[in-house]
Amino acid sequence: MAEDPALSLRVSDIKDPAVLFERYNTAEIRRVEGKVRGEIEQKKEELRQMVGERYRDLIDAADTIGEMRQCSESVVQSIQDMHQYCHKLKQGTPSTSSCRQEDQRQWQEKFYIMASQIKLLLEIPERIWSAMEASQYLQATQLYLLCCHLHSLLQLQVATGGHYSPVLARFPILVRQVATTGHFRSTILLDSRSLLRGRAVSDQAIAEALVSTMLLEDSSPRQALADFLLARKASIHQLLNQPQHGAGIKAQVCSLVELLVTTLFQAYAVFYLPPEGGPRPGEGGPRPGEGELSYGMLFTTLENVTSTTYAAKDRRVLQEETSTGSWFKYLPPSITEFQPALRTLAQPIQREQLRDTLQQWIDTCKEDICRGVSSLLVYVKSLKGLAAIRDSVWDLLSTESISQHWSTVCQRLLECPLVVWDDFLQQLFLQRLQAITKEESEAISMSSVQFLASAVRDLEGQTIHTSSATNPGSGRGGQYEVDVASFLWSESPGDLLSDAGWVSVTQRGQQHHRSSLAMKTQALTPCVQNFCSSLDAKLKARLEDLQYYLPSQDTGSDSSSVTVTSSGPSESSSVSSFNRFTDSPAVEDALREGCVACVRHILSSIRSELASASPDPSPACLSSVLFMARLCQSMGELCPNLKHCILGKQRGFEATAKETPRQGKKLGKARATTEVSPTQAKWACLKEELLVCSMEAYRIWSSALSKVLLDKFATTLHAESAGAILTTATNWEDLEIQEEAESGSSVTSKIRLPVQPSWFVQSLLFQLCVEVNRVGGHALPRPTLQELLQTCLAQVLHHYHSLTQQSFSREGVFPMTQNRALQLLFDLRYLNTTLSSRVEEGKSSRSHQDPRFHEVCDWLEGYIDPFDLDVFTPPLNTNLNRLSQRTSVLLGLLTGSEKQFALRSSSVNSQEPFNILPLASSQIRFGLLPLSMSNVRTSKSATRSSAAAHQLQAPPSSAADSESSFRPGSLFRQLADQDEDTATPSLFKLSWLSGMAK
């Protein structure tokens, strides 16, 4: 329904009635008229209501005006009557008797005395408020007590039955004044006790506030001491319960220490009295920093206020106001000479009572402070923050105003020294530091374990994708873990540092960035580098945070030197200020224990991963097993900050400096034995745990590898058909030999002997060498490689021994012929020579051979004609030695430099054959270089002839040489050391080449 336009029209919009007739019809105009008349009636009704309400107000106002007019008329009439009465008195004849005048004078004097007292009573409240605003509570107390004295003189107390005294009846203004004065006592007491809580309050103000309390409550000095200590305890609680957003934690702790120290200083200045025979109170001298300490100020102030002697007249309450007003001369002596008084005599506090009370207060506050500061330190999340708070406290306690007299005050008050830091805060800070270190170490270990688990899962997934070839575009990091050889022989811009050409290794140091080539020489894959760099960065952050809490390197780690340098120039400061670094060993222990726990947590996670993969590791698990093995092997080296955290940064730097890059130099010389500290023993124990875990992981890999390869080997070895045996056969060599016949003539005969092993034997060794190279065999630990070879040899002997149990008389089984037995014997002896463990110095190789080897050899020799065996043995041995030497390069990681079969003459004139390329003495990346075996450093005074330099067999090296030669890059060190004293320039003396392994 449409809205009526006439009803929507507002009355205020009607300006011209003629317009309405133009716009609306008659019906609409009538509706507009009705609306206007309705509004007119409504306004009339509102006007009538408003006039009715205002009329009542007008009537009340008129009544009030009438009453005021009547009152003013009565006042005027009374004044006129008084004027007439006075006029009549003047017209009368006065009596001039002397007695009447004397009475009038006495009455006038009494009136002036009372008027002056009333005048003083009216002014005292204003003076009390002024004194309280100026924090002069003792003056306010004196004025209040004077006011009470005036009340008693004027008898202003309300009489019984609710009647006022005569003075109050004649001067009604005093009624309100008496009521106002009653509130001053509680106000002065409240403000005086509030002043006792302040830290920046002078000793004199404290003494005056306590005297005010004693005068108002008529208490003793012992009660004043209790009030003072209670106020300070309440102030301590207020500081501890302060909201965190109001002030920083450092400011709160410093305020607590300042309040505690100030309380003892002020207790000495206010309450302490020397033994009898000493100087009187108040004669102690100025405040700290200006000479001797003041003491006994409470008793001095109390004596000045309450004494009635002649000397105390100059310190009366109204001394200053006596000469300011003319009406003061009418005040009676009881008021002008008023002095407050105590009902009981103020006895000095005994030294034993003062000591016991303060000691009890300190013990109580110690519990509160320890509890409160512990809750505050929870919000400090770094050792830097703790060190900042500790240093602020040290700066506060080392100020001259505190340190100059602190020991004296403690000795006189407590009869024993009080070290605020050691007794209150040190243990709290140490506990918080240990908690922070533990939390951060746990966070590091948890993140490292998560990183490890993620890396293991990625490696397993990468292995599956690589084997199935479903993800050819995956990242290279996982691919390098699966195939380390691809990482070793890949080139990257960071293989050599940009300054490798002109910065030597000795100048570079251990802390600088290591080149990628140095990582490749140790087969440290990107995943291992990322894990160790992440862990090292976190440990470095923890170590840097710890350095804020420890003495800096320029001051040294010796606590005595720290005390001297930290105590400042004055001798008294060094006595009172504490040594900030006394807990440095405990701080380092906390970080050391946290790091050890972190590494052991990582090791436990690694062991659990290895345990899940150890029974029957799949190919996908082997890459992660090798990753964990390399990780444990290199964690101690790639995480230098781990060593610094455990040994301490200063000792870690010293140990690093001792391990110079030229470690291979002069290894043959005896080293002086040094004592092993507990921290070094702990570091050695941790490295041993890492090594054991690494060896365990390598053992899992070697077991799985040997099992896979030897299973294929056993299948081919136990082949029964002639075709399968012939497929593995190799070409033999024809030899002509000269034999003596029975007639004495020489007979030439031709024999055939094997010169190379069977194909399955070559395949076994080649596959073994490929797999070892595939995982970075040059960086494998020597025990792991030896264990792998021993395991393979043991399983080979087992399979050969099981061959002896096989029956060759069955149908379809190829019989054991002499040629087959001769080939198997050659294979077995070659495998035994290649896979046998390296000969240890001073021990024969035969003593370590497995008895099954001789059993199988005897069994195989049983199939060979004895006469032929005698003829075949010498050339067979020659073929075996030649084969071992020729394959030593191909099987370099399986054959050591000790087994080069140099059976020829080793004289000076002998020359090295041109077709033999023996390996270097160390298993490094460049193992195929055509280098002579004479690379062990000889004496500087020995002559280096060209013939001696080409000897095939290296001299036996010491245990230290063997250990050093195993390290990657030792070849370059040895070559650089060997030629460093010769005049001929050597390629290996170039810093960039010798630094490739650093």
Side-chain angles (χ1 to χ4, degrees), residues 848-897:
H848 293 279
Q849 289 183 355
D850 196 311
R852 292 177 297 180
F853 172 73
H854 300 288
E855 294 179 6
V856 175
C857 289
D858 294 341
W859 178 75
L860 291 175
E861 290 175 355
Y863 289 96
I864 304 173
D865 184 79
F867 176 77
D868 293 341
L869 184 62
D870 292 338
V871 175
F872 294 162
T873 298
L876 195 64
N877 289 336
T878 303
N879 292 344
L880 184 63
N881 291 336
R882 186 169 60 249
L883 176 66
S884 297
Q885 292 175 2
R886 287 177 176 177
T887 58
S888 61
V889 173
L890 181 63
L891 307 178
L893 291 176
L894 304 183
T895 59
S897 59

Short mmCIF file of all heavy atoms in Angstrom, two decimals, residues 848-897:
data_model
loop_
_atom_site.label_atom_id
_atom_site.label_comp_id
_atom_site.label_asym_id
_atom_site.label_seq_id
_atom_site.Cartn_x
_atom_site.Cartn_y
_atom_site.Cartn_z
N HIS A 848 98.57 -66.42 10.85
CA HIS A 848 97.22 -65.88 10.83
C HIS A 848 96.34 -66.59 9.81
O HIS A 848 95.19 -66.21 9.65
CB HIS A 848 97.24 -64.37 10.52
CG HIS A 848 97.87 -63.56 11.60
ND1 HIS A 848 97.21 -63.18 12.73
CD2 HIS A 848 99.14 -63.08 11.71
CE1 HIS A 848 98.01 -62.47 13.51
NE2 HIS A 848 99.20 -62.41 12.91
N GLN A 849 96.87 -67.54 9.10
CA GLN A 849 96.07 -68.19 8.08
C GLN A 849 95.08 -69.15 8.70
O GLN A 849 95.33 -69.78 9.72
CB GLN A 849 96.98 -68.93 7.10
CG GLN A 849 97.79 -67.98 6.20
CD GLN A 849 98.61 -68.75 5.19
OE1 GLN A 849 98.66 -69.98 5.24
NE2 GLN A 849 99.25 -68.03 4.28
N ASP A 850 93.93 -69.23 8.01
CA ASP A 850 92.88 -70.13 8.45
C ASP A 850 93.31 -71.58 8.17
O ASP A 850 93.80 -71.88 7.09
CB ASP A 850 91.59 -69.80 7.70
CG ASP A 850 90.37 -70.41 8.37
OD1 ASP A 850 90.41 -71.61 8.69
OD2 ASP A 850 89.39 -69.66 8.56
N PRO A 851 93.14 -72.48 9.12
CA PRO A 851 93.52 -73.88 8.86
C PRO A 851 92.74 -74.50 7.72
O PRO A 851 93.21 -75.47 7.08
CB PRO A 851 93.22 -74.58 10.18
CG PRO A 851 92.54 -73.61 11.05
CD PRO A 851 92.70 -72.26 10.49
N ARG A 852 91.56 -73.98 7.41
CA ARG A 852 90.79 -74.54 6.29
C ARG A 852 91.51 -74.30 4.97
O ARG A 852 91.32 -75.05 4.01
CB ARG A 852 89.40 -73.91 6.26
CG ARG A 852 88.52 -74.29 7.43
CD ARG A 852 87.18 -73.58 7.37
NE ARG A 852 87.34 -72.13 7.46
CZ ARG A 852 86.30 -71.28 7.44
NH1 ARG A 852 85.07 -71.75 7.31
NH2 ARG A 852 86.51 -69.99 7.54
N PHE A 853 92.31 -73.22 4.92
CA PHE A 853 93.06 -72.96 3.68
C PHE A 853 94.01 -74.12 3.38
O PHE A 853 94.09 -74.60 2.25
CB PHE A 853 93.81 -71.64 3.83
CG PHE A 853 94.76 -71.36 2.70
CD1 PHE A 853 94.31 -71.00 1.45
CD2 PHE A 853 96.14 -71.49 2.90
CE1 PHE A 853 95.20 -70.75 0.42
CE2 PHE A 853 97.02 -71.24 1.87
CZ PHE A 853 96.56 -70.86 0.62
N HIS A 854 94.74 -74.59 4.36
CA HIS A 854 95.67 -75.69 4.14
C HIS A 854 94.92 -76.99 3.87
O HIS A 854 95.37 -77.83 3.06
CB HIS A 854 96.58 -75.85 5.36
CG HIS A 854 97.38 -74.60 5.64
ND1 HIS A 854 98.44 -74.20 4.85
CD2 HIS A 854 97.27 -73.68 6.63
CE1 HIS A 854 98.96 -73.09 5.33
NE2 HIS A 854 98.26 -72.74 6.42
N GLU A 855 93.79 -77.15 4.53
CA GLU A 855 93.00 -78.35 4.28
C GLU A 855 92.52 -78.41 2.83
O GLU A 855 92.62 -79.45 2.15
CB GLU A 855 91.81 -78.41 5.24
CG GLU A 855 92.20 -78.56 6.70
CD GLU A 855 90.97 -78.58 7.60
OE1 GLU A 855 89.85 -78.59 7.04
OE2 GLU A 855 91.14 -78.56 8.83
N VAL A 856 91.99 -77.30 2.34
CA VAL A 856 91.49 -77.28 0.97
C VAL A 856 92.64 -77.43 -0.01
O VAL A 856 92.54 -78.14 -1.04
CB VAL A 856 90.70 -75.98 0.72
CG1 VAL A 856 90.27 -75.89 -0.75
CG2 VAL A 856 89.48 -75.92 1.62
N CYS A 857 93.78 -76.78 0.28
CA CYS A 857 94.94 -76.93 -0.61
C CYS A 857 95.42 -78.38 -0.66
O CYS A 857 95.73 -78.92 -1.74
CB CYS A 857 96.07 -76.00 -0.15
SG CYS A 857 95.75 -74.25 -0.45
N ASP A 858 95.48 -79.00 0.48
CA ASP A 858 95.88 -80.41 0.50
C ASP A 858 94.88 -81.26 -0.25
O ASP A 858 95.26 -82.23 -0.96
CB ASP A 858 96.02 -80.90 1.94
CG ASP A 858 97.16 -80.19 2.66
OD1 ASP A 858 98.03 -79.63 1.97
OD2 ASP A 858 97.15 -80.17 3.92
N TRP A 859 93.62 -80.95 -0.11
CA TRP A 859 92.58 -81.74 -0.80
C TRP A 859 92.71 -81.58 -2.31
O TRP A 859 92.60 -82.54 -3.07
CB TRP A 859 91.20 -81.29 -0.31
CG TRP A 859 90.08 -82.01 -0.99
CD1 TRP A 859 89.65 -83.28 -0.78
CD2 TRP A 859 89.24 -81.46 -2.02
NE1 TRP A 859 88.61 -83.59 -1.60
CE2 TRP A 859 88.32 -82.48 -2.38
CE3 TRP A 859 89.17 -80.23 -2.64
CZ2 TRP A 859 87.34 -82.29 -3.34
CZ3 TRP A 859 88.19 -80.03 -3.61
CH2 TRP A 859 87.30 -81.05 -3.96
N LEU A 860 92.92 -80.32 -2.76
CA LEU A 860 93.08 -80.10 -4.20
C LEU A 860 94.38 -80.70 -4.72
O LEU A 860 94.43 -81.23 -5.85
CB LEU A 860 93.04 -78.60 -4.49
CG LEU A 860 91.69 -77.90 -4.29
CD1 LEU A 860 91.83 -76.40 -4.48
CD2 LEU A 860 90.64 -78.46 -5.25
N GLU A 861 95.45 -80.62 -3.95
CA GLU A 861 96.72 -81.21 -4.38
C GLU A 861 96.64 -82.74 -4.47
O GLU A 861 97.44 -83.38 -5.15
CB GLU A 861 97.83 -80.80 -3.43
CG GLU A 861 98.20 -79.33 -3.54
CD GLU A 861 99.22 -78.93 -2.49
OE1 GLU A 861 99.56 -79.79 -1.64
OE2 GLU A 861 99.67 -77.77 -2.51
N GLY A 862 95.64 -83.29 -3.78
CA GLY A 862 95.47 -84.74 -3.86
C GLY A 862 95.01 -85.20 -5.22
O GLY A 862 95.16 -86.38 -5.58
N TYR A 863 94.38 -84.29 -6.01
CA TYR A 863 93.93 -84.62 -7.36
C TYR A 863 95.03 -84.38 -8.40
O TYR A 863 94.80 -84.57 -9.60
CB TYR A 863 92.69 -83.80 -7.73
CG TYR A 863 91.45 -84.22 -6.99
CD1 TYR A 863 91.05 -83.57 -5.82
CD2 TYR A 863 90.67 -85.29 -7.45
CE1 TYR A 863 89.92 -83.95 -5.14
CE2 TYR A 863 89.53 -85.68 -6.78
CZ TYR A 863 89.15 -85.01 -5.62
OH TYR A 863 88.03 -85.40 -4.95
N ILE A 864 96.16 -83.89 -7.99
CA ILE A 864 97.25 -83.59 -8.92
C ILE A 864 98.35 -84.64 -8.72
O ILE A 864 98.68 -85.02 -7.59
CB ILE A 864 97.80 -82.18 -8.67
CG1 ILE A 864 96.68 -81.14 -8.77
CG2 ILE A 864 98.90 -81.83 -9.68
CD1 ILE A 864 97.09 -79.75 -8.39
N ASP A 865 98.93 -85.07 -9.82
CA ASP A 865 100.02 -86.04 -9.74
C ASP A 865 101.17 -85.44 -8.95
O ASP A 865 101.57 -84.30 -9.19
CB ASP A 865 100.47 -86.41 -11.16
CG ASP A 865 101.55 -87.49 -11.12
OD1 ASP A 865 101.19 -88.66 -10.94
OD2 ASP A 865 102.73 -87.11 -11.28
N PRO A 866 101.73 -86.17 -8.01
CA PRO A 866 102.81 -85.60 -7.18
C PRO A 866 104.00 -85.16 -8.00
O PRO A 866 104.61 -84.12 -7.69
CB PRO A 866 103.16 -86.75 -6.24
CG PRO A 866 101.93 -87.58 -6.17
CD PRO A 866 101.30 -87.51 -7.53
N PHE A 867 104.36 -85.94 -9.03
CA PHE A 867 105.49 -85.55 -9.86
C PHE A 867 105.18 -84.24 -10.59
O PHE A 867 106.01 -83.32 -10.66
CB PHE A 867 105.82 -86.68 -10.85
CG PHE A 867 106.93 -86.31 -11.80
CD1 PHE A 867 108.26 -86.33 -11.38
CD2 PHE A 867 106.63 -85.94 -13.10
CE1 PHE A 867 109.26 -85.98 -12.28
CE2 PHE A 867 107.65 -85.60 -13.99
CZ PHE A 867 108.97 -85.62 -13.57
N ASP A 868 103.97 -84.16 -11.16
CA ASP A 868 103.57 -82.92 -11.84
C ASP A 868 103.50 -81.75 -10.85
O ASP A 868 103.82 -80.60 -11.20
CB ASP A 868 102.22 -83.10 -12.52
CG ASP A 868 102.30 -84.10 -13.68
OD1 ASP A 868 103.43 -84.34 -14.15
OD2 ASP A 868 101.25 -84.61 -14.08
N LEU A 869 103.06 -82.02 -9.65
CA LEU A 869 102.96 -80.94 -8.66
C LEU A 869 104.32 -80.36 -8.36
O LEU A 869 104.47 -79.12 -8.22
CB LEU A 869 102.30 -81.48 -7.38
CG LEU A 869 102.04 -80.44 -6.28
CD1 LEU A 869 101.09 -79.35 -6.77
CD2 LEU A 869 101.45 -81.14 -5.04
N ASP A 870 105.32 -81.22 -8.23
CA ASP A 870 106.66 -80.71 -7.97
C ASP A 870 107.16 -79.86 -9.14
O ASP A 870 107.87 -78.86 -8.94
CB ASP A 870 107.62 -81.87 -7.73
CG ASP A 870 107.31 -82.59 -6.42
OD1 ASP A 870 106.67 -81.94 -5.56
OD2 ASP A 870 107.69 -83.76 -6.29
N VAL A 871 106.79 -80.26 -10.35
CA VAL A 871 107.22 -79.50 -11.52
C VAL A 871 106.44 -78.19 -11.66
O VAL A 871 106.98 -77.15 -12.03
CB VAL A 871 107.07 -80.37 -12.78
CG1 VAL A 871 107.41 -79.55 -14.03
CG2 VAL A 871 107.96 -81.59 -12.69
N PHE A 872 105.13 -78.26 -11.32
CA PHE A 872 104.26 -77.09 -11.53
C PHE A 872 104.44 -76.01 -10.46
O PHE A 872 104.14 -74.84 -10.71
CB PHE A 872 102.79 -77.52 -11.55
CG PHE A 872 102.44 -78.37 -12.72
CD1 PHE A 872 101.28 -79.16 -12.71
CD2 PHE A 872 103.25 -78.41 -13.86
CE1 PHE A 872 100.95 -79.96 -13.79
CE2 PHE A 872 102.92 -79.22 -14.94
CZ PHE A 872 101.77 -79.99 -14.91
N THR A 873 104.88 -76.37 -9.28
CA THR A 873 104.86 -75.42 -8.16
C THR A 873 105.70 -74.18 -8.39
O THR A 873 105.22 -73.05 -8.20
CB THR A 873 105.29 -76.14 -6.87
OG1 THR A 873 104.36 -77.19 -6.59
CG2 THR A 873 105.33 -75.16 -5.71
N PRO A 874 106.99 -74.26 -8.81
CA PRO A 874 107.77 -73.01 -9.00
C PRO A 874 107.17 -72.08 -10.04
O PRO A 874 107.00 -70.88 -9.77
CB PRO A 874 109.15 -73.53 -9.39
CG PRO A 874 109.22 -74.90 -8.82
CD PRO A 874 107.85 -75.47 -8.96
N PRO A 875 106.85 -72.55 -11.25
CA PRO A 875 106.25 -71.59 -12.20
C PRO A 875 104.86 -71.12 -11.76
O PRO A 875 104.45 -70.00 -12.07
CB PRO A 875 106.18 -72.38 -13.50
CG PRO A 875 106.23 -73.81 -13.12
CD PRO A 875 107.07 -73.88 -11.88
N LEU A 876 104.15 -71.98 -11.03
CA LEU A 876 102.83 -71.55 -10.54
C LEU A 876 102.97 -70.40 -9.54
O LEU A 876 102.20 -69.43 -9.56
CB LEU A 876 102.11 -72.74 -9.90
CG LEU A 876 100.61 -72.57 -9.66
CD1 LEU A 876 99.87 -72.43 -10.98
CD2 LEU A 876 100.05 -73.75 -8.88
N ASN A 877 103.99 -70.51 -8.69
CA ASN A 877 104.22 -69.40 -7.74
C ASN A 877 104.63 -68.13 -8.47
O ASN A 877 104.22 -67.02 -8.10
CB ASN A 877 105.31 -69.80 -6.75
CG ASN A 877 104.83 -70.86 -5.78
OD1 ASN A 877 103.63 -70.99 -5.54
ND2 ASN A 877 105.76 -71.65 -5.24
N THR A 878 105.44 -68.30 -9.52
CA THR A 878 105.86 -67.12 -10.29
C THR A 878 104.65 -66.47 -10.95
O THR A 878 104.50 -65.23 -10.93
CB THR A 878 106.89 -67.54 -11.34
OG1 THR A 878 108.00 -68.16 -10.68
CG2 THR A 878 107.38 -66.33 -12.13
N ASN A 879 103.79 -67.28 -11.55
CA ASN A 879 102.57 -66.72 -12.16
C ASN A 879 101.69 -66.03 -11.11
O ASN A 879 101.08 -64.99 -11.39
CB ASN A 879 101.78 -67.83 -12.85
CG ASN A 879 102.50 -68.38 -14.06
OD1 ASN A 879 103.45 -67.76 -14.57
ND2 ASN A 879 102.09 -69.56 -14.53
N LEU A 880 101.61 -66.63 -9.97
CA LEU A 880 100.78 -66.05 -8.91
C LEU A 880 101.32 -64.70 -8.46
O LEU A 880 100.56 -63.72 -8.30
CB LEU A 880 100.69 -67.02 -7.72
CG LEU A 880 99.78 -66.61 -6.57
CD1 LEU A 880 98.33 -66.52 -7.05
CD2 LEU A 880 99.89 -67.62 -5.43
N ASN A 881 102.64 -64.60 -8.27
CA ASN A 881 103.23 -63.32 -7.85
C ASN A 881 103.07 -62.26 -8.93
O ASN A 881 102.75 -61.10 -8.65
CB ASN A 881 104.71 -63.51 -7.54
CG ASN A 881 104.92 -64.35 -6.29
OD1 ASN A 881 104.05 -64.42 -5.44
ND2 ASN A 881 106.07 -65.01 -6.18
N ARG A 882 103.31 -62.67 -10.19
CA ARG A 882 103.18 -61.71 -11.27
C ARG A 882 101.75 -61.23 -11.41
O ARG A 882 101.49 -60.05 -11.65
CB ARG A 882 103.68 -62.34 -12.57
CG ARG A 882 103.71 -61.34 -13.74
CD ARG A 882 104.45 -61.89 -14.96
NE ARG A 882 103.83 -63.11 -15.45
CZ ARG A 882 104.38 -64.32 -15.37
NH1 ARG A 882 105.58 -64.48 -14.80
NH2 ARG A 882 103.78 -65.39 -15.86
N LEU A 883 100.80 -62.15 -11.27
CA LEU A 883 99.38 -61.76 -11.35
C LEU A 883 99.00 -60.80 -10.22
O LEU A 883 98.30 -59.81 -10.44
CB LEU A 883 98.51 -63.02 -11.29
CG LEU A 883 97.00 -62.76 -11.26
CD1 LEU A 883 96.54 -62.12 -12.57
CD2 LEU A 883 96.24 -64.06 -11.01
N SER A 884 99.49 -61.07 -9.03
CA SER A 884 99.17 -60.20 -7.90
C SER A 884 99.73 -58.80 -8.11
O SER A 884 99.08 -57.80 -7.78
CB SER A 884 99.72 -60.80 -6.60
OG SER A 884 99.13 -62.04 -6.33
N GLN A 885 100.94 -58.73 -8.67
CA GLN A 885 101.53 -57.41 -8.90
C GLN A 885 100.81 -56.67 -10.01
O GLN A 885 100.62 -55.45 -9.95
CB GLN A 885 103.02 -57.57 -9.22
CG GLN A 885 103.84 -58.07 -8.03
CD GLN A 885 105.29 -58.33 -8.40
OE1 GLN A 885 105.69 -58.10 -9.54
NE2 GLN A 885 106.05 -58.82 -7.45
N ARG A 886 100.44 -57.38 -11.05
CA ARG A 886 99.79 -56.71 -12.18
C ARG A 886 98.37 -56.25 -11.82
O ARG A 886 97.87 -55.28 -12.37
CB ARG A 886 99.74 -57.66 -13.36
CG ARG A 886 101.11 -57.86 -14.02
CD ARG A 886 101.03 -58.85 -15.15
NE ARG A 886 102.34 -58.97 -15.85
CZ ARG A 886 102.58 -59.81 -16.84
NH1 ARG A 886 101.62 -60.62 -17.26
NH2 ARG A 886 103.78 -59.84 -17.40
N THR A 887 97.71 -56.98 -10.96
CA THR A 887 96.34 -56.58 -10.57
C THR A 887 96.30 -55.70 -9.33
O THR A 887 95.22 -55.37 -8.84
CB THR A 887 95.49 -57.83 -10.30
OG1 THR A 887 96.12 -58.61 -9.27
CG2 THR A 887 95.34 -58.65 -11.56
N SER A 888 97.47 -55.34 -8.82
CA SER A 888 97.48 -54.53 -7.60
C SER A 888 96.91 -53.13 -7.85
O SER A 888 96.36 -52.50 -6.94
CB SER A 888 98.90 -54.41 -7.05
OG SER A 888 99.75 -53.79 -8.00
N VAL A 889 97.06 -52.61 -9.09
CA VAL A 889 96.49 -51.29 -9.40
C VAL A 889 94.98 -51.37 -9.51
O VAL A 889 94.25 -50.56 -8.96
CB VAL A 889 97.11 -50.74 -10.68
CG1 VAL A 889 96.42 -49.45 -11.11
CG2 VAL A 889 98.59 -50.49 -10.48
N LEU A 890 94.51 -52.38 -10.23
CA LEU A 890 93.07 -52.54 -10.40
C LEU A 890 92.37 -52.81 -9.07
O LEU A 890 91.30 -52.28 -8.79
CB LEU A 890 92.78 -53.67 -11.38
CG LEU A 890 91.30 -53.94 -11.69
CD1 LEU A 890 90.67 -52.72 -12.36
CD2 LEU A 890 91.17 -55.17 -12.56
N LEU A 891 93.02 -53.61 -8.25
CA LEU A 891 92.45 -53.96 -6.95
C LEU A 891 93.18 -53.19 -5.84
O LEU A 891 93.49 -53.73 -4.79
CB LEU A 891 92.57 -55.47 -6.71
CG LEU A 891 92.00 -56.36 -7.81
CD1 LEU A 891 92.23 -57.83 -7.47
CD2 LEU A 891 90.51 -56.09 -8.00
N GLY A 892 93.45 -51.93 -6.11
CA GLY A 892 94.29 -51.15 -5.19
C GLY A 892 93.73 -51.05 -3.79
O GLY A 892 94.47 -51.08 -2.81
N LEU A 893 92.41 -50.90 -3.64
CA LEU A 893 91.82 -50.76 -2.31
C LEU A 893 91.78 -52.09 -1.56
O LEU A 893 91.55 -52.10 -0.35
CB LEU A 893 90.41 -50.18 -2.41
CG LEU A 893 90.35 -48.71 -2.86
CD1 LEU A 893 88.92 -48.28 -3.02
CD2 LEU A 893 91.07 -47.82 -1.87
N LEU A 894 91.94 -53.20 -2.27
CA LEU A 894 91.91 -54.50 -1.62
C LEU A 894 93.31 -54.99 -1.27
O LEU A 894 93.47 -55.77 -0.33
CB LEU A 894 91.22 -55.53 -2.53
CG LEU A 894 89.81 -55.17 -2.99
CD1 LEU A 894 89.23 -56.30 -3.82
CD2 LEU A 894 88.91 -54.87 -1.81
N THR A 895 94.31 -54.53 -2.03
CA THR A 895 95.69 -54.94 -1.76
C THR A 895 96.44 -53.76 -1.20
O THR A 895 96.40 -52.66 -1.75
CB THR A 895 96.36 -55.41 -3.05
OG1 THR A 895 96.35 -54.34 -3.99
CG2 THR A 895 95.65 -56.61 -3.61
N GLY A 896 97.13 -53.95 -0.12
CA GLY A 896 97.86 -52.87 0.51
C GLY A 896 99.23 -52.69 -0.09
O GLY A 896 99.73 -53.50 -0.88
N SER A 897 99.88 -51.59 0.28
CA SER A 897 101.22 -51.32 -0.23
C SER A 897 102.25 -52.26 0.37
O SER A 897 103.37 -52.36 -0.12
CB SER A 897 101.61 -49.88 0.11
OG SER A 897 101.57 -49.70 1.52
#
